[in-house]
Amino acid sequence: MEEVKMMLSLKRNGLGMVTLATLAFALIAPTPASAEPVSAKEPASNQIVMTVGEMCGGCVKRITARFDSVDAVTKVVCSIEKKSVTLVPKDGVKLSPKGIWEIMESIGKTPKKMITPDGTFTSKPKR
């Protein structure tokens, strides 16, 4: 109802029908979802999703800074609530599960579970 009152108010203020139609469409049209899936349950074919123990803002900064320095990683998403880290590699790049696990260990955040295109790991991968 508020949208209708707002549109009528805009029309009385001299805005044309095209503006009203544009505004109405913007209010009614669905917003598209993000094109990049980042889910802790089912990673995209090339993503790595790790569940870690407790995580704080300092952990997020350390993890993000460390993986931002890895050329093969294009995006790092940390969730304090889900206690997870999602890594999105550059197109055409396959991240090494063992290498990622070792990086996490080096910053004191050994993964509890790691879901990769190569499988799911609960201990350090062999490769």
Side-chain angles (χ1 to χ4, degrees), residues 18 20 22 25 30 36 38 46-47 50-51 58 60 64 67 79 82 105 109 120 125:
V18 173
L20 287 173
T22 303
F25 181 77
E36 294 182 10
V38 177
N46 59 348
Q47 291 181 359
M50 294 171 279
T51 303
V60 170
T64 302
F67 284 108
S79 171
K82 294 179 182 178
E105 285 180 328
K109 298 305 290 180
T120 301

Side-chain angles (χ1 to χ4, degrees), residues 76-119:
V76 181
V77 179
C78 296
S79 171
I80 293 173
E81 297 79 27
K82 294 179 182 178
K83 301 176 185 173
S84 69
V85 177
T86 302
L87 303 174
V88 180
K90 289 185 178 176
D91 286 339
V93 174
K94 182 179 174 198
L95 299 173
S96 160
K98 182 180 179 184
I100 297 301
W101 191 285
E102 289 173 346
I103 289 173
M104 290 296 288
E105 285 180 328
S106 75
I107 56 177
K109 298 305 290 180
T110 301
K112 305 262 184 237
K113 181 178 181 181
M114 183 166 67
I115 302 170
T116 75
D118 295 324

